[in-house]
Amino acid sequence: MAGGATFYDALLEQFTAISNSEHETALGKQIIGTIDEDGYLRREVISIVDDLAFGQNVDTNPEEIASLVLQIQQFDPPG
């Protein structure tokens, strides 16, 4: 489990370094938190949009989430 925490922490650290706003940071945290232990994002983008809207009252759209997913996939470790 410690390895999992390190994986997520590394992704969050990289994301916050490139994030341009609190809104974007909230989206990135949700996306990264949705990544499973194997490093896969198995949740549909529209489901992440819904999670943010209903769970955190954060307004976004599938295009914005998809764009951030592409950025996160470029992080180390590769995803």
Side-chain angles (χ1 to χ4, degrees):
M1 192 69 167
T6 302
F7 168 73
Y8 293 111
D9 290 343
L11 292 178
L12 282 173
E13 184 177 322
Q14 292 172 76
F15 188 82
T16 56
I18 66 161
S19 179
N20 295 318
S21 66
E22 287 183 33
H23 171 78
E24 197 172 83
T25 299
L27 302 181
K29 285 181 178 180
Q30 181 70 31
I31 294 166
I32 292 168
T34 305
I35 298 171
D36 69 16
E37 293 177 0
D38 295 325
Y40 289 99
L41 182 65
R42 299 188 196 274
R43 195 141 173 83
E44 296 290 329
V45 169
I46 193 67
S47 296
I48 296 171
V49 171
D50 289 344
D51 293 344
L52 285 158
F54 297 114
Q56 298 182 34
N57 198 30
V58 175
D59 188 35
T60 188
N61 58 61
E63 292 80 17
E64 187 174 28
I65 296 297
S67 174
L68 294 175
V69 167
L70 290 174
Q71 289 180 9
I72 292 168
Q73 288 174 330
Q74 302 305 312
F75 293 164
D76 188 38

Coordinates of all heavy atoms in Angstrom, one line a residue:
M1 N 0.8 -1.2 0.0 CA 0.0 0.0 0.0 C 0.9 1.3 0.0 O 0.5 2.3 -0.6 CB -0.9 0.0 1.2 CG -2.0 1.0 1.2 SD -3.1 0.6 -0.1 CE -4.4 1.7 0.2
A2 N 2.0 1.2 0.6 CA 2.9 2.4 0.7 C 3.3 2.7 -0.7 O 3.5 3.9 -1.1 CB 4.1 2.1 1.5
G3 N 3.5 1.8 -1.6 CA 3.9 2.0 -3.0 C 2.8 2.8 -3.7 O 3.0 3.6 -4.5
G4 N 1.5 2.4 -3.4 CA 0.4 3.1 -4.0 C 0.3 4.5 -3.6 O 0.1 5.4 -4.4
A5 N 0.6 4.8 -2.3 CA 0.5 6.2 -1.9 C 1.6 7.0 -2.6 O 1.4 8.1 -2.9 CB 0.7 6.2 -0.3
T6 N 2.8 6.4 -2.7 CA 3.9 7.1 -3.4 C 3.5 7.4 -4.8 O 3.8 8.5 -5.3 CB 5.2 6.3 -3.3 OG1 5.5 6.0 -1.9 CG2 6.3 6.9 -4.0
F7 N 2.9 6.5 -5.5 CA 2.5 6.6 -6.9 C 1.5 7.8 -7.0 O 1.7 8.7 -7.8 CB 1.8 5.4 -7.4 CG 1.1 5.5 -8.7 CD1 1.8 5.6 -9.9 CD2 -0.3 5.4 -8.7 CE1 1.1 5.6 -11.1 CE2 -1.0 5.5 -9.9 CZ -0.3 5.6 -11.1
Y8 N 0.5 7.9 -6.2 CA -0.5 9.0 -6.2 C 0.2 10.3 -5.8 O -0.1 11.3 -6.4 CB -1.7 8.6 -5.3 CG -2.5 7.5 -5.8 CD1 -2.5 6.3 -5.1 CD2 -3.2 7.6 -7.0 CE1 -3.3 5.2 -5.6 CE2 -3.9 6.5 -7.5 CZ -4.0 5.3 -6.8 OH -4.7 4.3 -7.3
D9 N 1.0 10.2 -4.8 CA 1.7 11.5 -4.3 C 2.5 12.0 -5.5 O 2.6 13.3 -5.7 CB 2.5 11.2 -3.1 CG 1.7 10.9 -1.9 OD1 0.5 11.3 -1.9 OD2 2.3 10.4 -0.9
A10 N 3.2 11.2 -6.2 CA 4.1 11.6 -7.3 C 3.3 12.3 -8.4 O 3.6 13.3 -8.9 CB 4.9 10.5 -7.8
L11 N 2.1 11.7 -8.7 CA 1.3 12.2 -9.7 C 0.7 13.6 -9.3 O 0.7 14.5 -10.1 CB 0.1 11.3 -10.1 CG 0.5 10.0 -10.8 CD1 -0.7 9.1 -11.1 CD2 1.2 10.3 -12.1
L12 N 0.2 13.6 -8.0 CA -0.3 14.9 -7.5 C 0.7 16.0 -7.5 O 0.4 17.1 -7.8 CB -0.9 14.7 -6.1 CG -2.3 14.0 -6.1 CD1 -2.7 13.7 -4.6 CD2 -3.3 14.9 -6.7
E13 N 1.9 15.7 -7.1 CA 3.0 16.7 -7.0 C 3.3 17.2 -8.4 O 3.4 18.4 -8.6 CB 4.2 16.0 -6.5 CG 5.4 17.0 -6.3 CD 6.6 16.4 -5.6 OE1 6.4 15.6 -4.7 OE2 7.7 16.8 -6.0
Q14 N 3.3 16.3 -9.4 CA 3.6 16.8 -10.8 C 2.4 17.6 -11.3 O 2.6 18.6 -12.0 CB 3.8 15.6 -11.7 CG 5.1 14.8 -11.4 CD 5.2 13.5 -12.2 OE1 5.5 13.6 -13.4 NE2 5.0 12.4 -11.5
F15 N 1.2 17.2 -11.0 CA 0.1 17.9 -11.5 C 0.0 19.3 -10.9 O -0.3 20.3 -11.6 CB -1.3 17.2 -11.2 CG -2.4 17.8 -11.9 CD1 -2.6 17.6 -13.3 CD2 -3.2 18.7 -11.2 CE1 -3.7 18.2 -13.9 CE2 -4.3 19.3 -11.9 CZ -4.5 19.1 -13.2
T16 N 0.2 19.4 -9.6 CA 0.1 20.7 -8.9 C 1.1 21.7 -9.4 O 0.9 22.9 -9.5 CB 0.1 20.6 -7.4 OG1 1.3 20.0 -7.0 CG2 -1.1 19.9 -6.9
A17 N 2.3 21.1 -9.9 CA 3.3 22.0 -10.4 C 2.9 22.6 -11.8 O 3.4 23.7 -12.1 CB 4.6 21.1 -10.6
I18 N 2.0 22.0 -12.5 CA 1.6 22.5 -13.8 C 0.2 23.2 -13.8 O -0.2 23.8 -14.7 CB 1.7 21.5 -14.9 CG1 0.6 20.4 -14.7 CG2 3.1 20.9 -15.1 CD1 0.3 19.6 -16.0
S19 N -0.5 23.0 -12.7 CA -1.9 23.5 -12.6 C -1.9 25.0 -12.6 O -1.1 25.6 -12.0 CB -2.5 22.9 -11.3 OG -3.8 23.4 -11.2
N20 N -2.9 25.5 -13.3 CA -3.0 27.0 -13.5 C -4.0 27.6 -12.6 O -4.1 28.8 -12.5 CB -3.4 27.3 -14.9 CG -2.3 26.9 -15.9 OD1 -1.1 27.1 -15.6 ND2 -2.7 26.3 -17.0
S21 N -4.8 26.8 -11.9 CA -5.9 27.3 -11.0 C -6.4 26.3 -10.0 O -6.1 25.1 -10.1 CB -7.1 27.8 -11.9 OG -7.7 26.6 -12.5
E22 N -7.1 26.8 -9.0 CA -7.7 25.9 -8.0 C -8.7 25.0 -8.7 O -8.8 23.8 -8.3 CB -8.4 26.7 -6.9 CG -7.4 27.4 -6.0 CD -8.1 28.1 -4.9 OE1 -9.2 27.6 -4.4 OE2 -7.6 29.2 -4.4
H23 N -9.4 25.5 -9.7 CA -10.4 24.7 -10.4 C -9.7 23.5 -11.1 O -10.1 22.3 -11.0 CB -11.1 25.5 -11.5 CG -12.0 24.8 -12.4 ND1 -13.2 24.3 -12.1 CD2 -11.8 24.4 -13.7 CE1 -13.8 23.7 -13.1 NE2 -12.9 23.7 -14.1
E24 N -8.6 23.8 -11.8 CA -7.9 22.7 -12.5 C -7.2 21.7 -11.5 O -7.2 20.5 -11.8 CB -6.8 23.4 -13.3 CG -6.2 22.5 -14.4 CD -5.3 23.2 -15.3 OE1 -4.1 23.4 -15.0 OE2 -5.7 23.6 -16.4
T25 N -6.8 22.2 -10.4 CA -6.2 21.4 -9.3 C -7.3 20.4 -8.8 O -7.0 19.2 -8.6 CB -5.6 22.2 -8.2 OG1 -4.6 23.0 -8.7 CG2 -5.1 21.3 -7.1
A26 N -8.5 20.9 -8.6 CA -9.6 20.0 -8.1 C -9.9 18.9 -9.2 O -10.1 17.8 -8.8 CB -10.9 20.9 -7.9
L27 N -9.9 19.3 -10.4 CA -10.1 18.3 -11.5 C -9.0 17.3 -11.5 O -9.3 16.1 -11.6 CB -10.2 19.0 -12.9 CG -11.3 20.1 -13.1 CD1 -11.2 20.6 -14.5 CD2 -12.6 19.6 -12.7
G28 N -7.8 17.7 -11.4 CA -6.6 16.8 -11.4 C -6.6 15.8 -10.3 O -6.4 14.7 -10.4
K29 N -7.0 16.4 -9.1 CA -7.1 15.5 -7.9 C -8.1 14.4 -8.1 O -7.9 13.3 -7.7 CB -7.4 16.3 -6.7 CG -6.2 17.1 -6.2 CD -6.5 17.9 -4.9 CE -5.3 18.6 -4.4 NZ -5.7 19.4 -3.2
Q30 N -9.3 14.8 -8.7 CA -10.3 13.8 -8.9 C -9.9 12.7 -9.9 O -10.1 11.6 -9.7 CB -11.6 14.5 -9.4 CG -12.7 13.6 -9.7 CD -13.3 13.0 -8.4 OE1 -13.3 13.7 -7.3 NE2 -13.8 11.8 -8.4
I31 N -9.2 13.2 -11.0 CA -8.8 12.2 -12.0 C -7.7 11.3 -11.4 O -7.8 10.1 -11.5 CB -8.2 13.0 -13.2 CG1 -9.2 13.8 -13.9 CG2 -7.5 12.0 -14.2 CD1 -8.7 14.8 -14.9
I32 N -6.7 11.8 -10.7 CA -5.7 11.0 -10.1 C -6.2 10.1 -9.1 O -5.8 8.9 -9.0 CB -4.6 11.9 -9.6 CG1 -3.8 12.6 -10.8 CG2 -3.6 11.1 -8.7 CD1 -2.9 13.7 -10.4
G33 N -7.2 10.6 -8.3 CA -7.8 9.7 -7.3 C -8.6 8.6 -7.9 O -8.9 7.6 -7.2
T34 N -9.0 8.7 -9.2 CA -9.8 7.7 -9.8 C -8.9 6.6 -10.5 O -9.4 5.5 -10.8 CB -10.7 8.4 -10.9 OG1 -11.5 9.4 -10.3 CG2 -11.6 7.4 -11.6
I35 N -7.6 6.8 -10.6 CA -6.7 5.9 -11.2 C -6.6 4.7 -10.2 O -6.4 4.8 -9.0 CB -5.3 6.5 -11.4 CG1 -5.5 7.6 -12.4 CG2 -4.3 5.4 -11.9 CD1 -4.2 8.5 -12.6
D36 N -6.7 3.5 -10.8 CA -6.7 2.3 -9.9 C -5.2 1.9 -9.5 O -4.3 2.5 -10.0 CB -7.4 1.1 -10.5 CG -6.8 0.5 -11.8 OD1 -5.6 0.8 -12.0 OD2 -7.5 -0.2 -12.5
E37 N -5.1 0.9 -8.7 CA -3.8 0.4 -8.2 C -2.9 0.0 -9.3 O -1.6 0.0 -9.2 CB -4.0 -0.7 -7.2 CG -4.6 -0.2 -5.9 CD -4.9 -1.3 -4.9 OE1 -4.5 -2.5 -5.2 OE2 -5.4 -1.0 -3.9
D38 N -3.4 -0.4 -10.5 CA -2.6 -0.9 -11.6 C -2.2 0.3 -12.5 O -1.5 0.1 -13.5 CB -3.4 -1.9 -12.4 CG -3.7 -3.2 -11.7 OD1 -2.8 -3.6 -10.9 OD2 -4.7 -3.8 -11.9
G39 N -2.6 1.5 -12.2 CA -2.3 2.7 -12.9 C -3.2 3.0 -14.1 O -2.9 3.8 -15.0
Y40 N -4.4 2.4 -14.1 CA -5.4 2.6 -15.2 C -6.5 3.5 -14.7 O -7.0 3.4 -13.6 CB -5.9 1.2 -15.6 CG -4.9 0.4 -16.4 CD1 -4.3 -0.6 -15.7 CD2 -4.7 0.6 -17.7 CE1 -3.3 -1.4 -16.4 CE2 -3.7 -0.1 -18.4 CZ -3.1 -1.1 -17.8 OH -2.2 -1.9 -18.4
L41 N -7.0 4.3 -15.6 CA -8.2 5.1 -15.4 C -9.3 4.3 -16.1 O -9.5 4.4 -17.3 CB -8.0 6.5 -16.1 CG -9.2 7.4 -15.9 CD1 -9.3 7.8 -14.4 CD2 -9.0 8.7 -16.7
R42 N -10.0 3.6 -15.3 CA -11.1 2.7 -15.8 C -12.4 3.4 -15.8 O -13.4 2.9 -16.4 CB -11.2 1.4 -15.0 CG -9.8 0.6 -15.1 CD -10.0 -0.7 -14.5 NE -8.7 -1.3 -14.2 CZ -8.0 -2.1 -15.1 NH1 -8.5 -2.2 -16.3 NH2 -6.8 -2.6 -14.8
R43 N -12.5 4.5 -15.2 CA -13.8 5.3 -15.1 C -14.0 6.1 -16.4 O -13.0 6.7 -16.8 CB -13.8 6.1 -13.9 CG -15.1 6.7 -13.5 CD -15.2 6.7 -11.9 NE -16.4 7.3 -11.5 CZ -17.6 6.7 -11.4 NH1 -17.7 5.5 -11.8 NH2 -18.6 7.4 -11.0
E44 N -15.2 6.2 -16.9 CA -15.4 7.0 -18.1 C -15.3 8.5 -17.8 O -15.6 8.9 -16.6 CB -16.9 6.7 -18.6 CG -17.1 5.3 -19.1 CD -16.3 5.0 -20.4 OE1 -16.2 5.9 -21.2 OE2 -15.9 3.8 -20.5
V45 N -14.9 9.2 -18.7 CA -14.7 10.7 -18.5 C -16.0 11.3 -18.1 O -16.1 12.1 -17.2 CB -14.2 11.3 -19.8 CG1 -14.3 12.8 -19.8 CG2 -12.8 10.9 -20.1
I46 N -17.1 10.9 -18.7 CA -18.4 11.5 -18.3 C -18.8 11.2 -16.9 O -19.4 12.0 -16.2 CB -19.6 11.1 -19.3 CG1 -20.8 12.0 -19.1 CG2 -19.9 9.7 -19.2 CD1 -20.6 13.4 -19.5
S47 N -18.4 10.1 -16.4 CA -18.6 9.7 -15.0 C -17.8 10.6 -14.1 O -18.2 10.9 -13.0 CB -18.3 8.2 -14.8 OG -19.2 7.4 -15.5
I48 N -16.6 10.9 -14.5 CA -15.7 11.8 -13.7 C -16.4 13.2 -13.6 O -16.4 13.8 -12.6 CB -14.3 11.8 -14.2 CG1 -13.7 10.5 -14.1 CG2 -13.5 12.9 -13.5 CD1 -12.3 10.3 -14.8
V49 N -16.9 13.6 -14.8 CA -17.6 14.9 -14.8 C -18.8 14.9 -13.8 O -19.0 15.9 -13.0 CB -18.1 15.2 -16.2 CG1 -19.0 16.5 -16.2 CG2 -16.9 15.4 -17.2
D50 N -19.5 13.8 -13.8 CA -20.7 13.7 -12.9 C -20.2 13.7 -11.5 O -20.9 14.3 -10.6 CB -21.5 12.5 -13.2 CG -22.3 12.6 -14.5 OD1 -22.4 13.7 -15.0 OD2 -22.7 11.5 -15.0
D51 N -19.2 12.9 -11.2 CA -18.6 12.9 -9.8 C -18.3 14.2 -9.3 O -18.6 14.6 -8.1 CB -17.4 12.0 -9.7 CG -17.6 10.5 -10.0 OD1 -18.8 10.1 -10.0 OD2 -16.7 9.8 -10.3
L52 N -17.6 15.0 -10.1 CA -17.2 16.4 -9.7 C -18.4 17.3 -9.5 O -18.5 18.0 -8.6 CB -16.3 17.0 -10.8 CG -14.9 16.4 -10.8 CD1 -14.2 16.7 -12.1 CD2 -14.1 17.1 -9.7
A53 N -19.4 17.2 -10.4 CA -20.6 18.0 -10.3 C -21.4 17.7 -9.1 O -21.8 18.6 -8.3 CB -21.5 17.8 -11.6
F54 N -21.7 16.4 -8.8 CA -22.6 16.0 -7.7 C -21.9 15.9 -6.4 O -22.4 16.1 -5.4 CB -23.3 14.7 -8.1 CG -24.2 14.9 -9.3 CD1 -24.0 14.2 -10.4 CD2 -25.3 15.8 -9.2 CE1 -24.8 14.4 -11.6 CE2 -26.1 15.9 -10.3 CZ -25.9 15.3 -11.5
G55 N -20.6 15.5 -6.4 CA -19.9 15.2 -5.2 C -19.1 16.4 -4.7 O -19.0 16.6 -3.5
Q56 N -18.7 17.3 -5.6 CA -17.9 18.4 -5.1 C -18.4 19.8 -5.6 O -17.8 20.8 -5.4 CB -16.4 18.2 -5.6 CG -15.8 17.0 -5.1 CD -14.3 16.9 -5.5 OE1 -13.6 17.9 -5.7 NE2 -13.9 15.7 -5.7
N57 N -19.5 19.8 -6.3 CA -20.1 21.0 -6.9 C -19.1 21.7 -7.8 O -19.0 23.0 -7.7 CB -20.6 21.9 -5.8 CG -21.6 22.9 -6.3 OD1 -22.3 22.7 -7.3 ND2 -21.7 24.0 -5.6
V58 N -18.3 21.0 -8.6 CA -17.4 21.6 -9.5 C -17.9 21.4 -10.9 O -18.2 20.2 -11.3 CB -16.0 20.9 -9.3 CG1 -15.0 21.4 -10.4 CG2 -15.4 21.1 -7.9
D59 N -18.0 22.5 -11.6 CA -18.6 22.4 -13.0 C -17.4 22.2 -14.0 O -16.4 23.0 -14.0 CB -19.3 23.7 -13.3 CG -20.0 23.7 -14.6 OD1 -20.5 22.6 -15.0 OD2 -20.1 24.7 -15.3
T60 N -17.5 21.3 -14.9 CA -16.6 21.0 -15.9 C -17.2 20.3 -17.1 O -18.5 20.2 -17.1 CB -15.4 20.1 -15.3 OG1 -14.4 20.1 -16.3 CG2 -15.8 18.7 -14.9
N61 N -16.5 19.9 -18.0 CA -17.0 19.2 -19.2 C -16.1 18.1 -19.6 O -14.9 18.0 -19.2 CB -17.3 20.2 -20.3 CG -16.0 20.9 -20.8 OD1 -15.1 20.3 -21.2 ND2 -16.0 22.2 -20.7
P62 N -16.6 17.1 -20.4 CA -15.7 16.0 -20.8 C -14.4 16.4 -21.6 O -13.4 15.8 -21.4 CB -16.6 15.2 -21.8 CG -18.0 15.5 -21.3 CD -18.0 17.0 -20.9
E63 N -14.5 17.5 -22.3 CA -13.3 17.9 -23.1 C -12.2 18.4 -22.1 O -11.0 18.1 -22.3 CB -13.7 19.0 -24.1 CG -14.6 18.6 -25.2 CD -16.0 18.5 -24.8 OE1 -16.5 19.1 -23.8 OE2 -16.8 17.8 -25.5
E64 N -12.6 19.1 -21.1 CA -11.6 19.6 -20.1 C -11.0 18.4 -19.4 O -9.8 18.4 -19.2 CB -12.3 20.6 -19.1 CG -11.3 21.2 -18.2 CD -12.0 22.3 -17.3 OE1 -13.2 22.2 -17.0 OE2 -11.3 23.2 -16.9
I65 N -11.8 17.5 -19.0 CA -11.3 16.3 -18.3 C -10.4 15.5 -19.2 O -9.3 15.1 -18.8 CB -12.4 15.4 -17.7 CG1 -13.3 16.1 -16.7 CG2 -11.9 14.1 -17.2 CD1 -12.5 16.5 -15.4
A66 N -10.8 15.2 -20.4 CA -10.0 14.5 -21.4 C -8.6 15.2 -21.6 O -7.6 14.5 -21.7 CB -10.7 14.3 -22.7
S67 N -8.6 16.5 -21.7 CA -7.4 17.2 -21.9 C -6.4 17.0 -20.7 O -5.2 16.8 -20.9 CB -7.7 18.7 -22.1 OG -6.5 19.5 -22.1
L68 N -7.0 17.1 -19.5 CA -6.1 16.9 -18.3 C -5.7 15.4 -18.2 O -4.5 15.2 -17.7 CB -6.9 17.3 -17.0 CG -7.2 18.8 -16.9 CD1 -8.1 19.1 -15.7 CD2 -5.9 19.6 -16.9
V69 N -6.5 14.5 -18.6 CA -6.1 13.1 -18.6 C -4.8 12.9 -19.5 O -3.9 12.2 -19.2 CB -7.2 12.1 -19.1 CG1 -6.7 10.7 -19.4 CG2 -8.3 12.1 -18.0
L70 N -4.9 13.5 -20.7 CA -3.7 13.4 -21.6 C -2.5 14.0 -21.0 O -1.4 13.5 -21.1 CB -4.0 14.2 -22.9 CG -5.1 13.5 -23.8 CD1 -5.4 14.4 -25.0 CD2 -4.6 12.1 -24.2
Q71 N -2.6 15.1 -20.2 CA -1.4 15.7 -19.5 C -0.9 14.7 -18.5 O 0.3 14.5 -18.3 CB -1.8 17.0 -18.9 CG -2.0 18.1 -19.9 CD -2.4 19.4 -19.2 OE1 -2.3 19.6 -18.0 NE2 -2.8 20.4 -20.0
I72 N -1.8 14.2 -17.7 CA -1.4 13.3 -16.6 C -0.7 12.0 -17.2 O 0.2 11.5 -16.6 CB -2.6 12.9 -15.7 CG1 -3.1 14.2 -15.0 CG2 -2.3 11.7 -14.8 CD1 -4.4 14.0 -14.3
Q73 N -1.2 11.6 -18.3 CA -0.5 10.4 -18.9 C 0.9 10.6 -19.3 O 1.7 9.7 -19.5 CB -1.3 10.0 -20.2 CG -2.7 9.3 -19.9 CD -3.5 9.0 -21.1 OE1 -3.4 9.7 -22.1 NE2 -4.3 8.0 -21.0
Q74 N 1.3 11.9 -19.4 CA 2.7 12.2 -19.7 C 3.6 12.2 -18.5 O 4.8 12.3 -18.6 CB 2.8 13.6 -20.4 CG 1.9 13.6 -21.7 CD 2.3 12.6 -22.7 OE1 3.5 12.3 -23.0 NE2 1.3 11.9 -23.2
F75 N 3.1 12.1 -17.3 CA 3.8 12.2 -16.1 C 4.7 10.9 -15.9 O 4.5 9.9 -16.5 CB 2.9 12.4 -14.9 CG 2.2 13.7 -14.8 CD1 1.1 13.9 -14.0 CD2 2.6 14.8 -15.6 CE1 0.5 15.1 -13.9 CE2 2.0 16.0 -15.5 CZ 0.9 16.1 -14.7
D76 N 5.6 11.0 -14.9 CA 6.4 9.9 -14.6 C 5.9 9.3 -13.2 O 5.8 10.1 -12.3 CB 7.9 10.4 -14.4 CG 8.8 9.2 -14.2 OD1 8.6 8.2 -14.9 OD2 9.8 9.4 -13.5
P77 N 5.6 8.1 -13.1 CA 5.8 7.0 -14.1 C 4.8 7.1 -15.2 O 3.7 7.6 -15.0 CB 5.6 5.8 -13.2 CG 4.7 6.2 -12.1 CD 5.0 7.6 -11.8
P78 N 5.2 6.7 -16.4 CA 4.3 6.8 -17.6 C 3.0 6.1 -17.3 O 2.9 5.0 -16.7 CB 5.1 6.0 -18.7 CG 6.5 5.9 -18.1 CD 6.4 6.0 -16.7
G79 N 1.9 6.7 -17.9 CA 0.6 6.1 -17.8 C -0.2 6.1 -19.0 O 0.1 6.6 -20.0

